[in-house]
PDB file of all heavy atoms in Angstrom:
ATOM      1  N   PRO A 228       8.309  31.251 -10.271  1.00  0.00           N
ATOM      2  CA  PRO A 228       7.825  32.540  -9.783  1.00  0.00           C
ATOM      3  C   PRO A 228       6.742  32.403  -8.724  1.00  0.00           C
ATOM      4  O   PRO A 228       5.815  31.579  -8.877  1.00  0.00           O
ATOM      5  CB  PRO A 228       7.223  33.214 -11.049  1.00  0.00           C
ATOM      6  CG  PRO A 228       7.900  32.553 -12.178  1.00  0.00           C
ATOM      7  CD  PRO A 228       8.107  31.137 -11.726  1.00  0.00           C
ATOM      8  N   HIS A 229       6.897  33.145  -7.622  1.00  0.00           N
ATOM      9  CA  HIS A 229       5.910  33.277  -6.571  1.00  0.00           C
ATOM     10  C   HIS A 229       5.604  31.926  -5.866  1.00  0.00           C
ATOM     11  O   HIS A 229       4.478  31.703  -5.406  1.00  0.00           O
ATOM     12  CB  HIS A 229       4.579  33.852  -7.127  1.00  0.00           C
ATOM     13  CG  HIS A 229       4.758  35.018  -8.031  1.00  0.00           C
ATOM     14  ND1 HIS A 229       5.329  36.233  -7.572  1.00  0.00           N
ATOM     15  CD2 HIS A 229       4.554  35.244  -9.322  1.00  0.00           C
ATOM     16  CE1 HIS A 229       5.363  37.135  -8.526  1.00  0.00           C
ATOM     17  NE2 HIS A 229       4.909  36.506  -9.631  1.00  0.00           N
ATOM     18  N   LEU A 230       6.528  31.070  -5.816  1.00  0.00           N
ATOM     19  CA  LEU A 230       6.374  29.812  -5.098  1.00  0.00           C
ATOM     20  C   LEU A 230       6.167  30.087  -3.605  1.00  0.00           C
ATOM     21  O   LEU A 230       7.079  30.641  -2.949  1.00  0.00           O
ATOM     22  CB  LEU A 230       7.550  28.891  -5.288  1.00  0.00           C
ATOM     23  CG  LEU A 230       7.482  27.489  -4.586  1.00  0.00           C
ATOM     24  CD1 LEU A 230       6.403  26.651  -5.207  1.00  0.00           C
ATOM     25  CD2 LEU A 230       8.824  26.831  -4.647  1.00  0.00           C
ATOM     26  N   PRO A 231       5.011  29.771  -3.015  1.00  0.00           N
ATOM     27  CA  PRO A 231       4.807  30.079  -1.575  1.00  0.00           C
ATOM     28  C   PRO A 231       5.590  29.119  -0.703  1.00  0.00           C
ATOM     29  O   PRO A 231       5.325  27.912  -0.642  1.00  0.00           O
ATOM     30  CB  PRO A 231       3.267  29.866  -1.414  1.00  0.00           C
ATOM     31  CG  PRO A 231       2.875  28.931  -2.535  1.00  0.00           C
ATOM     32  CD  PRO A 231       3.854  29.200  -3.653  1.00  0.00           C
ATOM     33  N   ARG A 232       6.593  29.667  -0.056  1.00  0.00           N
ATOM     34  CA  ARG A 232       7.490  28.866   0.735  1.00  0.00           C
ATOM     35  C   ARG A 232       6.817  28.176   1.898  1.00  0.00           C
ATOM     36  O   ARG A 232       7.080  27.049   2.251  1.00  0.00           O
ATOM     37  CB  ARG A 232       8.662  29.766   1.306  1.00  0.00           C
ATOM     38  CG  ARG A 232       9.645  29.020   2.108  1.00  0.00           C
ATOM     39  CD  ARG A 232      10.776  29.941   2.519  1.00  0.00           C
ATOM     40  NE  ARG A 232      11.682  29.239   3.464  1.00  0.00           N
ATOM     41  CZ  ARG A 232      12.692  28.430   3.083  1.00  0.00           C
ATOM     42  NH1 ARG A 232      12.859  28.217   1.820  1.00  0.00           N
ATOM     43  NH2 ARG A 232      13.459  27.865   3.971  1.00  0.00           N
ATOM     44  N   ASP A 233       5.821  28.848   2.514  1.00  0.00           N
ATOM     45  CA  ASP A 233       5.164  28.254   3.665  1.00  0.00           C
ATOM     46  C   ASP A 233       4.364  27.010   3.295  1.00  0.00           C
ATOM     47  O   ASP A 233       4.453  25.999   3.962  1.00  0.00           O
ATOM     48  CB  ASP A 233       4.206  29.294   4.359  1.00  0.00           C
ATOM     49  CG  ASP A 233       3.211  29.852   3.381  1.00  0.00           C
ATOM     50  OD1 ASP A 233       3.431  29.782   2.120  1.00  0.00           O
ATOM     51  OD2 ASP A 233       2.212  30.432   3.828  1.00  0.00           O
ATOM     52  N   ILE A 234       3.645  27.083   2.148  1.00  0.00           N
ATOM     53  CA  ILE A 234       2.915  25.890   1.738  1.00  0.00           C
ATOM     54  C   ILE A 234       3.824  24.802   1.260  1.00  0.00           C
ATOM     55  O   ILE A 234       3.597  23.586   1.545  1.00  0.00           O
ATOM     56  CB  ILE A 234       1.907  26.286   0.570  1.00  0.00           C
ATOM     57  CG1 ILE A 234       0.895  27.268   1.078  1.00  0.00           C
ATOM     58  CG2 ILE A 234       1.223  25.032   0.040  1.00  0.00           C
ATOM     59  CD1 ILE A 234      -0.095  27.724   0.063  1.00  0.00           C
ATOM     60  N   PHE A 235       4.886  25.186   0.614  1.00  0.00           N
ATOM     61  CA  PHE A 235       5.895  24.213   0.120  1.00  0.00           C
ATOM     62  C   PHE A 235       6.518  23.446   1.308  1.00  0.00           C
ATOM     63  O   PHE A 235       6.626  22.227   1.297  1.00  0.00           O
ATOM     64  CB  PHE A 235       6.932  24.879  -0.698  1.00  0.00           C
ATOM     65  CG  PHE A 235       8.029  23.966  -1.173  1.00  0.00           C
ATOM     66  CD1 PHE A 235       7.748  23.080  -2.221  1.00  0.00           C
ATOM     67  CD2 PHE A 235       9.312  23.959  -0.672  1.00  0.00           C
ATOM     68  CE1 PHE A 235       8.744  22.212  -2.667  1.00  0.00           C
ATOM     69  CE2 PHE A 235      10.299  23.167  -1.133  1.00  0.00           C
ATOM     70  CZ  PHE A 235       9.979  22.279  -2.148  1.00  0.00           C
ATOM     71  N   LEU A 236       6.880  24.196   2.371  1.00  0.00           N
ATOM     72  CA  LEU A 236       7.502  23.563   3.530  1.00  0.00           C
ATOM     73  C   LEU A 236       6.506  22.694   4.301  1.00  0.00           C
ATOM     74  O   LEU A 236       6.826  21.632   4.823  1.00  0.00           O
ATOM     75  CB  LEU A 236       8.105  24.652   4.465  1.00  0.00           C
ATOM     76  CG  LEU A 236       9.270  25.404   3.954  1.00  0.00           C
ATOM     77  CD1 LEU A 236       9.700  26.440   4.976  1.00  0.00           C
ATOM     78  CD2 LEU A 236      10.435  24.454   3.649  1.00  0.00           C
ATOM     79  N   LEU A 237       5.242  23.125   4.319  1.00  0.00           N
ATOM     80  CA  LEU A 237       4.185  22.331   4.939  1.00  0.00           C
ATOM     81  C   LEU A 237       3.992  21.021   4.168  1.00  0.00           C
ATOM     82  O   LEU A 237       3.786  19.936   4.781  1.00  0.00           O
ATOM     83  CB  LEU A 237       2.868  23.095   4.973  1.00  0.00           C
ATOM     84  CG  LEU A 237       1.667  22.378   5.597  1.00  0.00           C
ATOM     85  CD1 LEU A 237       1.939  22.028   7.042  1.00  0.00           C
ATOM     86  CD2 LEU A 237       0.431  23.239   5.474  1.00  0.00           C
ATOM     87  N   LEU A 238       4.063  21.108   2.850  1.00  0.00           N
ATOM     88  CA  LEU A 238       3.936  19.904   2.039  1.00  0.00           C
ATOM     89  C   LEU A 238       5.043  18.916   2.346  1.00  0.00           C
ATOM     90  O   LEU A 238       4.779  17.711   2.498  1.00  0.00           O
ATOM     91  CB  LEU A 238       3.981  20.340   0.580  1.00  0.00           C
ATOM     92  CG  LEU A 238       3.759  19.281  -0.521  1.00  0.00           C
ATOM     93  CD1 LEU A 238       3.029  19.930  -1.688  1.00  0.00           C
ATOM     94  CD2 LEU A 238       5.125  18.711  -1.025  1.00  0.00           C
ATOM     95  N   LEU A 239       6.285  19.404   2.417  1.00  0.00           N
ATOM     96  CA  LEU A 239       7.394  18.511   2.787  1.00  0.00           C
ATOM     97  C   LEU A 239       7.293  17.937   4.176  1.00  0.00           C
ATOM     98  O   LEU A 239       7.619  16.806   4.428  1.00  0.00           O
ATOM     99  CB  LEU A 239       8.712  19.304   2.635  1.00  0.00           C
ATOM    100  CG  LEU A 239       9.121  19.722   1.209  1.00  0.00           C
ATOM    101  CD1 LEU A 239      10.474  20.394   1.248  1.00  0.00           C
ATOM    102  CD2 LEU A 239       9.174  18.537   0.231  1.00  0.00           C
ATOM    103  N   HIS A 240       6.735  18.774   5.094  1.00  0.00           N
ATOM    104  CA  HIS A 240       6.560  18.283   6.462  1.00  0.00           C
ATOM    105  C   HIS A 240       5.527  17.137   6.463  1.00  0.00           C
ATOM    106  O   HIS A 240       5.758  16.148   7.181  1.00  0.00           O
ATOM    107  CB  HIS A 240       6.017  19.440   7.329  1.00  0.00           C
ATOM    108  CG  HIS A 240       5.823  19.109   8.747  1.00  0.00           C
ATOM    109  ND1 HIS A 240       6.795  18.664   9.604  1.00  0.00           N
ATOM    110  CD2 HIS A 240       4.647  19.057   9.534  1.00  0.00           C
ATOM    111  CE1 HIS A 240       6.318  18.401  10.774  1.00  0.00           C
ATOM    112  NE2 HIS A 240       4.994  18.637  10.745  1.00  0.00           N
ATOM    113  N   GLN A 241       4.472  17.233   5.693  1.00  0.00           N
ATOM    114  CA  GLN A 241       3.450  16.166   5.681  1.00  0.00           C
ATOM    115  C   GLN A 241       4.092  14.907   5.052  1.00  0.00           C
ATOM    116  O   GLN A 241       3.775  13.808   5.485  1.00  0.00           O
ATOM    117  CB  GLN A 241       2.282  16.635   4.773  1.00  0.00           C
ATOM    118  CG  GLN A 241       1.502  17.783   5.365  1.00  0.00           C
ATOM    119  CD  GLN A 241       0.772  17.385   6.619  1.00  0.00           C
ATOM    120  OE1 GLN A 241       0.508  16.211   6.888  1.00  0.00           O
ATOM    121  NE2 GLN A 241       0.488  18.358   7.494  1.00  0.00           N
ATOM    122  N   VAL A 242       4.938  15.052   4.081  1.00  0.00           N
ATOM    123  CA  VAL A 242       5.620  13.912   3.471  1.00  0.00           C
ATOM    124  C   VAL A 242       6.494  13.216   4.528  1.00  0.00           C
ATOM    125  O   VAL A 242       6.483  12.011   4.662  1.00  0.00           O
ATOM    126  CB  VAL A 242       6.505  14.346   2.279  1.00  0.00           C
ATOM    127  CG1 VAL A 242       7.373  13.187   1.765  1.00  0.00           C
ATOM    128  CG2 VAL A 242       5.547  14.777   1.093  1.00  0.00           C
ATOM    129  N   ASN A 243       7.287  14.011   5.295  1.00  0.00           N
ATOM    130  CA  ASN A 243       8.094  13.437   6.338  1.00  0.00           C
ATOM    131  C   ASN A 243       7.287  12.720   7.414  1.00  0.00           C
ATOM    132  O   ASN A 243       7.678  11.658   7.946  1.00  0.00           O
ATOM    133  CB  ASN A 243       9.032  14.484   6.964  1.00  0.00           C
ATOM    134  CG  ASN A 243      10.148  14.858   6.051  1.00  0.00           C
ATOM    135  OD1 ASN A 243      10.576  14.127   5.215  1.00  0.00           O
ATOM    136  ND2 ASN A 243      10.613  16.135   6.150  1.00  0.00           N
ATOM    137  N   ILE A 244       6.109  13.269   7.732  1.00  0.00           N
ATOM    138  CA  ILE A 244       5.214  12.608   8.704  1.00  0.00           C
ATOM    139  C   ILE A 244       4.725  11.259   8.163  1.00  0.00           C
ATOM    140  O   ILE A 244       4.713  10.281   8.858  1.00  0.00           O
ATOM    141  CB  ILE A 244       4.023  13.574   9.031  1.00  0.00           C
ATOM    142  CG1 ILE A 244       4.482  14.715   9.863  1.00  0.00           C
ATOM    143  CG2 ILE A 244       2.945  12.772   9.796  1.00  0.00           C
ATOM    144  CD1 ILE A 244       3.369  15.746  10.150  1.00  0.00           C
ATOM    145  N   SER A 245       4.435  11.267   6.865  1.00  0.00           N
ATOM    146  CA  SER A 245       3.941  10.011   6.224  1.00  0.00           C
ATOM    147  C   SER A 245       5.094   8.947   6.183  1.00  0.00           C
ATOM    148  O   SER A 245       4.830   7.769   6.306  1.00  0.00           O
ATOM    149  CB  SER A 245       3.440  10.281   4.834  1.00  0.00           C
ATOM    150  OG  SER A 245       2.301  11.083   4.886  1.00  0.00           O
ATOM    151  N   LEU A 246       6.335   9.418   5.927  1.00  0.00           N
ATOM    152  CA  LEU A 246       7.422   8.507   5.909  1.00  0.00           C
ATOM    153  C   LEU A 246       7.629   7.845   7.289  1.00  0.00           C
ATOM    154  O   LEU A 246       7.920   6.685   7.427  1.00  0.00           O
ATOM    155  CB  LEU A 246       8.728   9.239   5.493  1.00  0.00           C
ATOM    156  CG  LEU A 246       8.777   9.660   4.031  1.00  0.00           C
ATOM    157  CD1 LEU A 246      10.000  10.540   3.828  1.00  0.00           C
ATOM    158  CD2 LEU A 246       8.818   8.449   3.137  1.00  0.00           C
ATOM    159  N   GLU A 247       7.469   8.657   8.378  1.00  0.00           N
ATOM    160  CA  GLU A 247       7.588   8.138   9.692  1.00  0.00           C
ATOM    161  C   GLU A 247       6.449   7.188  10.038  1.00  0.00           C
ATOM    162  O   GLU A 247       6.620   6.164  10.628  1.00  0.00           O
ATOM    163  CB  GLU A 247       7.549   9.301  10.716  1.00  0.00           C
ATOM    164  CG  GLU A 247       7.699   8.885  12.170  1.00  0.00           C
ATOM    165  CD  GLU A 247       9.035   8.203  12.512  1.00  0.00           C
ATOM    166  OE1 GLU A 247       9.969   8.241  11.685  1.00  0.00           O
ATOM    167  OE2 GLU A 247       9.114   7.626  13.619  1.00  0.00           O
ATOM    168  N   ARG A 248       5.218   7.517   9.548  1.00  0.00           N
ATOM    169  CA  ARG A 248       4.066   6.635   9.742  1.00  0.00           C
ATOM    170  C   ARG A 248       4.235   5.285   9.093  1.00  0.00           C
ATOM    171  O   ARG A 248       3.985   4.229   9.672  1.00  0.00           O
ATOM    172  CB  ARG A 248       2.797   7.332   9.213  1.00  0.00           C
ATOM    173  CG  ARG A 248       1.560   6.439   9.324  1.00  0.00           C
ATOM    174  CD  ARG A 248       0.344   7.092   8.645  1.00  0.00           C
ATOM    175  NE  ARG A 248       0.553   7.324   7.244  1.00  0.00           N
ATOM    176  CZ  ARG A 248       0.466   6.391   6.308  1.00  0.00           C
ATOM    177  NH1 ARG A 248       0.159   5.159   6.667  1.00  0.00           N
ATOM    178  NH2 ARG A 248       0.656   6.724   5.036  1.00  0.00           N
ATOM    179  N   THR A 249       4.721   5.297   7.857  1.00  0.00           N
ATOM    180  CA  THR A 249       4.921   4.007   7.149  1.00  0.00           C
ATOM    181  C   THR A 249       6.060   3.209   7.797  1.00  0.00           C
ATOM    182  O   THR A 249       6.022   1.953   7.866  1.00  0.00           O
ATOM    183  CB  THR A 249       5.279   4.254   5.631  1.00  0.00           C
ATOM    184  OG1 THR A 249       6.398   5.160   5.548  1.00  0.00           O
ATOM    185  CG2 THR A 249       4.077   4.869   4.913  1.00  0.00           C
ATOM    186  N   ARG A 250       7.050   3.899   8.369  1.00  0.00           N
ATOM    187  CA  ARG A 250       8.112   3.186   9.073  1.00  0.00           C
ATOM    188  C   ARG A 250       7.543   2.511  10.339  1.00  0.00           C
ATOM    189  O   ARG A 250       7.815   1.372  10.622  1.00  0.00           O
ATOM    190  CB  ARG A 250       9.291   4.119   9.463  1.00  0.00           C
ATOM    191  CG  ARG A 250      10.407   3.458  10.118  1.00  0.00           C
ATOM    192  CD  ARG A 250      11.336   4.375  10.836  1.00  0.00           C
ATOM    193  NE  ARG A 250      10.653   4.995  11.974  1.00  0.00           N
ATOM    194  CZ  ARG A 250      10.500   4.392  13.160  1.00  0.00           C
ATOM    195  NH1 ARG A 250      10.992   3.112  13.330  1.00  0.00           N
ATOM    196  NH2 ARG A 250       9.950   5.011  14.209  1.00  0.00           N
TER     197      ARG A 250
END
Side-chain angles (χ1 to χ4, degrees):
H229 314 297
L230 179 68
R232 181 177 174 82
D233 55 343
I234 297 181
F235 179 72
L236 292 178
L237 179 61
L238 184 147
L239 293 183
H240 181 63
Q241 294 294 336
V242 170
N243 286 332
I244 290 176
S245 294
L246 290 173
E247 179 66 12
R248 177 186 60 79
T249 55
R250 184 197 68 78

